[in-house]
Amino acid sequence: MLSINNLTVKYGQITAVREISFEVKKGEIACIVGPNGAGKSTTLLTISGVLKPSNGDINLDNNTIAGFSPEQIAGLGVTQVPEGRHIFTSLTVEENLKVGAALRNDKDTIAQDIERITTLFPILGERKQQQAGKLSGGEQQMLAIGRALMTNPSIMTIDEPSLGLAPIIIDKVYEALVSLRKETGLTLLIVEQSAERALQVADMIYVLRNGEIKLKGTSKELKGNDKISKAYFGFDER
């Protein structure tokens, strides 16, 4: 479904991502893990069109989208939940969800989708008319995911969904994401610092460090050994 081929991204003269290649299959949960500064967020921002690649290609269903605008990419069914959530704090929960549907033509089904999302995250239904800025961090993360779902994506990328959240809230967020994949077939590409968390939910894991993919494999292949730690922290290097 999504294929990244020899992707290089630079900030001026600094190379943030260097010739990385990976793929995300339809209906799969793939996780990119790695330390701060590894290039994880840069990779997602390039996929969503916010950043332009210096080299390489990004393919969606065998069609290149490298260099497309964020609006074009979103229109093709790729939506991102950014790090830090970036909800509209002065708007209500319901208004935030409606913003996610702003580019849709099927206006008659928007109310049904809001109902579906508030079923997935019941707390959002309870606080539908509350200002989003008054939600807790975990509730804001749920709202950010819900807003992204309102675009009716075929693939959703999520940057650090567990950032700054209590473990019990992280569990709830990931339970909802796994449920979404199971019930709707939604494809997920998640950036996560916690390799342990990735091993619990992902089909495929890619370890990114210093802008390069140091390790890849299925959760089954990588669980129970020290390969991820070596790749994550660079223990394999002399």
Side-chain angles (χ1 to χ4, degrees):
M1 181 177 193
L2 181 69
S3 178
I4 311 301
N5 304 299
N6 298 314
L7 185 70
T8 295
V9 186
K10 295 184 178 182
Y11 295 99
Q13 298 300 311
I14 299 173
T15 300
V17 172
R18 183 179 294 104
E19 296 184 351
I20 65 171
S21 298
F22 66 92
E23 65 176 2
V24 186
K25 297 177 181 177
K26 184 176 178 61
E28 185 175 68
I29 298 178
C31 281
I32 302 175
V33 302
N36 284 333
K40 304 185 302 297
S41 295
T42 296
T43 299
L44 291 196
L45 289 171
T46 307
I47 291 170
S48 64
V50 176
L51 298 176
K52 306 303 179 187
S54 303
N55 197 21
D57 200 11
I58 304 170
N59 279 274
L60 179 67
D61 296 329
N62 297 317
N63 296 305
T64 185
I65 59 171
F68 281 25
S69 70
E71 293 78 12
Q72 288 174 308
I73 293 172
L76 293 171
V78 181
T79 191
Q80 181 174 358
V81 180
E83 180 182 348
R85 301 177 274 276
H86 298 290
I87 60 168
F88 298 99
T89 56
S90 62
L91 301 182
T92 67
V93 167
E94 184 175 27
E95 288 168 341
N96 267 272
L97 293 174
K98 288 181 177 179
V99 167
L103 298 179
R104 287 172 49 178
N105 295 319
D106 56 333
K107 303 299 183 183
D108 55 329
T109 62
I110 289 175
Q112 296 174 17
D113 286 342
I114 290 176
E115 182 67 25
R116 178 171 59 92
I117 289 165
T118 55
T119 299
L120 181 68
F121 297 116
I123 192 65
L124 298 183
E126 295 174 17
R127 305 193 176 179
K128 193 185 294 186
Q129 301 307 320
Q130 182 173 315
Q131 272 192 333
K134 296 180 180 179
L135 300 178
S136 69
E139 292 161 356
Q140 289 185 9
Q141 183 66 74
M142 294 173 190
L143 178 57
I145 293 170
R147 183 181 61 190
L149 288 171
M150 288 297 295
T151 68
N152 279 341
S154 56
I155 179 169
M156 186 161 68
T157 69
I158 311 176
D159 197 352
E160 299 278 14
S162 60
L163 186 66
L165 303 184
I168 190 171
I169 302 301
I170 297 171
D171 288 342
K172 289 182 179 179
V173 169
Y174 270 101
E175 285 170 8
L177 292 175
V178 171
S179 176
L180 270 172
R181 192 273 291 268
K182 183 178 180 180
E183 294 176 7
T184 69
L186 179 66
T187 305
L188 294 165
L189 175 59
I190 303 172
V191 156
E192 179 58 75
Q193 276 199 343
S194 171
E196 181 180 355
R197 179 68 63 174
L199 283 168
Q200 293 173 3
V201 302
D203 299 301
M204 282 294 298
I205 295 175
Y206 300 91
V207 181
L208 191 65
R209 181 169 51 81
N210 296 333
E212 299 178 349
I213 292 179
K214 300 295 185 179
L215 179 70
K216 64 179 179 180
T218 66
S219 293
K220 185 176 181 180
E221 291 169 340
L222 300 178
K223 192 174 292 184
N225 61 53
D226 61 356
K227 288 182 179 179
I228 287 186
S229 293
K230 287 182 176 179
Y232 193 111
F233 295 108
F235 294 159
D236 56 328
E237 296 183 351
R238 302 301 182 192

